[in-house]
Amino acid sequence: MSRDEVSVVSIAPKHELITGKMGKLSRAKISAIDIAVPPKLLTNADLEKLVATTDQWIMERTGIRQRHIVEPGVTSSDLGAEAALKILAKTGVAATDIDLIIFSTISPDMFLPATACLVQNKIGATKAWGFDLSAACSGFLYGLQVGAQFIATGAHKNVLVIGIDVMSGIIDYTDRATCVIFGDGGGAALLQPAGEGEDAGFIDFLFEVDGSGGDALCIPAGGSKTPATHETVDKRLHYVHQDGHAVFKMATRKMAEICSRLLERNGLTGQDVDLFVPHQANKRIIDSAAERLGMPSERIIINIDEYGNTTAGTLPLALNSARDKGMLKKGDLVLFATVGAGFSAGAALVRWGY
Ligand code: UT7
C-alpha cells in the first residue's frame, strides 16, 4: 500500500468506511494522555559549572531554562510504565485489556530486549504484544500513526503509544554543543476507536525521511557499523554527536514546509488550527515555523524552557502542558509537527477527542 493510499484511509471523514482490501475500517482517536518526568532538575546554572556556557547563551539560542534528568538507575521503561499506569488509572482500562504497546525511544533500557516488552511486564499487560520504534524526535508521532492503523483495521481496541527518552544516558556532559539541549522524560497516549458518529480522531498525516542527513545527528558507535571497543569508549563515540547547523537548517525549512503541504491538501490554513504542537528542539525553530504558517502565538504550545529537548518525549509533554494551560479541549483541531535525526519529519492533523 502506498503512502498516499494509507493517507486516504486516515482522512476518512466518517466513523467507518468500507475498502475492498481491508474490510470495515474504524477511525482511531486519542482518548487519554499522561506524562512521566523525573523530579531532578539540571538548570542552565548547573551546566555553567560543567562546560563553557552561560545561561544567557542557552536561553537566547535555544529557549531552554532547565531540563529534568533521572537519578542513576532510573530507565526509559520505568518512566514509560509510570505514564502508562497513570493512563490506566484515570481511564479505568484494565492492563489486561491493552492489545499493543508501541514504545518510541532512542534510549532503550538495553538494545535487547525491546523496551515495550519491559513495560508490558511492569504494568501487567499480559495480553499485549509490543515493539520499539526508533525514529528519534519523530518517534512519538510515527508511533501514534502506526497505532492508529491497528485500530483502524479493527485488529485492536486499546493501543498504548509511549514516547520517552532518557537522554542523560547518551549525552556527553563535556560537549557543550549537545549537553545544553537535551533532557529526560516523556509520556504516553491511549488510542481507541472513535465512537459511532463521533467527530474525533486522526485526520491525515504526512511523514518523510531523508537518510542522506543521517550523519548530522547520530550515535557513531555501538551498532553493527562500529561495535563497542575500548577505543570507541575513549573517543566518546557512544554519545549523541550533532552538527547543529545542518540540523537547524533542515529543521527550520522542513517543519514549516511539511505542515503547509498537509494543511493545503486538507483545504486548511494555519488560521484553522486550534493548537499547534511542534517538536520542542529549539524555540527559534518553532518560532520560525509558526511565523511561516501564520499561526497565532496563543495557539502554539511551547514548553522547551521547562523540559529541554526530550526527543521522543516532547510531543506528549507538550500535549500535557497544553491541557494544563487550558489550550486544548474536545473538538479542537490539533496540528502536530516533528523534525529530527534521520533526517525524519512529519506532520499530522488530529481532532481532539476528550
Ligand atoms: O531534536 C533533534 C533535532 N535537533 C535540533 O533541532 C537542534 C538544531 N540545532 C540547534 O538548535 C542549534 O544549532 C544549536 C542550539 C545546537 C546551536 O545554536 P547555533 O545558534 O546554531 O550556534 P552555533 O553552533 O552556530 O554556534 C555559535 C557560537 C559558536 O562560537 P563561535 O564559533 O561563533 O565563536 C559556538 O562555538 O556559539 C558557540 N557555542 C556555544 N556557546 C556557549 C556552541 N554551543 C555553545 C554553548 N554555550 N552551549
Side-chain angles (χ1 to χ4, degrees):
M1 192 179 258
S2 75
R3 191 154 55 187
D4 279 353
E5 282 173 296
V6 172
S7 300
V8 169
V9 167
S10 70
I11 59 174
K14 302 226 168 69
H15 168 58
E16 290 178 335
L17 67 163
I18 308 292
T19 69
K21 275 190 191 158
M22 303 177 81
K24 216 172 189 185
L25 294 175
S26 300
R27 193 175 180 192
K29 69 169 186 178
I30 298 172
S31 39
I33 53 157
D34 219 311
I35 64 167
V37 177
K40 185 174 166 188
L41 288 178
L42 182 67
T43 64
N44 291 351
D46 295 331
L47 287 165
E48 284 176 354
K49 294 176 201 142
L50 296 177
V51 289
T53 193
T54 61
D55 172 53
Q56 190 188 353
W57 190 96
I58 302 171
M59 279 303 289
E60 282 177 10
R61 308 302 281 185
T62 70
I64 301 168
R65 181 168 43 87
Q66 62 177 36
R67 353 67 216 106
H68 293 248
I69 60 165
V70 296
E71 295 290 352
V74 175
T75 66
S76 293
S77 74
D78 291 334
L79 297 182
E82 183 187 328
L85 287 171
K86 284 182 190 169
I87 285 182
L88 297 181
K90 75 157 100 166
T91 57
V93 171
T96 48
D97 285 334
I98 299 298
D99 302 303
L100 166 63
I101 301 169
I102 300 173
F103 201 115
S104 300
T105 191
I106 55 158
S107 49
D109 291 24
M110 296 168 273
F111 269 136
L112 188 71
T115 322
C117 302
L118 304 177
V119 170
Q120 179 266 351
N121 186 46
K122 283 181 181 173
I123 68 173
T126 49
K127 293 182 185 146
W129 67 289
F131 57 90
D132 286 7
L133 192 159
S134 174
C137 306
S138 304
F140 186 73
L141 197 57
Y142 287 11
L144 284 181
Q145 209 62 58
V146 171
Q149 305 306 318
F150 282 97
I151 302 275
T153 59
H156 293 321
K157 293 268 179 273
N158 293 298
V159 175
L160 270 177
V161 180
I162 303 173
I164 299 271
D165 268 303
V166 173
M167 296 301 292
S168 58
I170 52 173
I171 288 298
D172 181 354
Y173 286 96
T174 67
D175 175 13
R176 71 175 181 176
T178 51
C179 74
V180 301
I181 303 170
F182 294 99
D184 299 343
L190 177 67
L191 306 188
Q192 293 180 315
E196 192 75 45
E198 185 183 2
D199 185 16
F202 291 81
I203 298 169
D204 195 9
F205 70 95
L206 197 51
F207 292 168
E208 279 179 9
V209 296
D210 173 9
S212 69
D215 288 344
L217 184 46
C218 66
I219 298 177
S224 56
K225 184 181 174 190
T226 311
T229 62
H230 286 290
E231 195 189 350
T232 60
V233 173
D234 291 344
K235 290 184 170 166
R236 312 183 82 78
L237 298 180
H238 296 271
Y239 292 120
V240 170
H241 288 241
Q242 174 170 252
D243 175 347
H245 262 315
V247 182
F248 189 84
K249 225 170 107 188
M250 177 281 298
T252 41
R253 180 179 56 82
K254 185 50 78 178
M255 187 178 274
E257 185 224 296
I258 202 161
C259 288
S260 297
R261 279 165 47 214
L262 182 68
L263 288 169
E264 202 178 308
R265 80 176 185 189
N266 284 275
L268 301 166
T269 70
Q271 302 288 327
D272 299 309
V273 172
D274 297 304
L275 181 68
F276 181 42
V277 183
H279 171 55
Q280 315 275 316
N282 187 320
K283 186 171 180 301
R284 290 185 291 144
I285 295 172
I286 300 173
D287 289 343
S288 154
E291 192 187 327
R292 290 189 210 189
L293 293 166
M295 207 82 73
S297 61
E298 65 276 11
R299 295 194 202 161
I300 308 165
I301 181 65
I302 300 181
N303 65 0
I304 191 170
D305 55 321
E306 213 179 323
Y307 298 114
N309 180 350
T310 54
T311 307
T314 65
L315 293 187
L317 288 175
L319 280 172
N320 193 66
S321 294
R323 277 196 79 87
D324 283 353
K325 292 178 178 173
M327 294 167 68
L328 178 58
K329 56 185 186 317
K330 189 172 165 58
D332 278 352
L333 183 65
V334 178
L335 173 65
F336 291 96
T338 181
V339 282
F343 294 133
S344 65
L349 280 166
V350 171
R351 180 74 61 192
W352 198 249
Y354 73 101

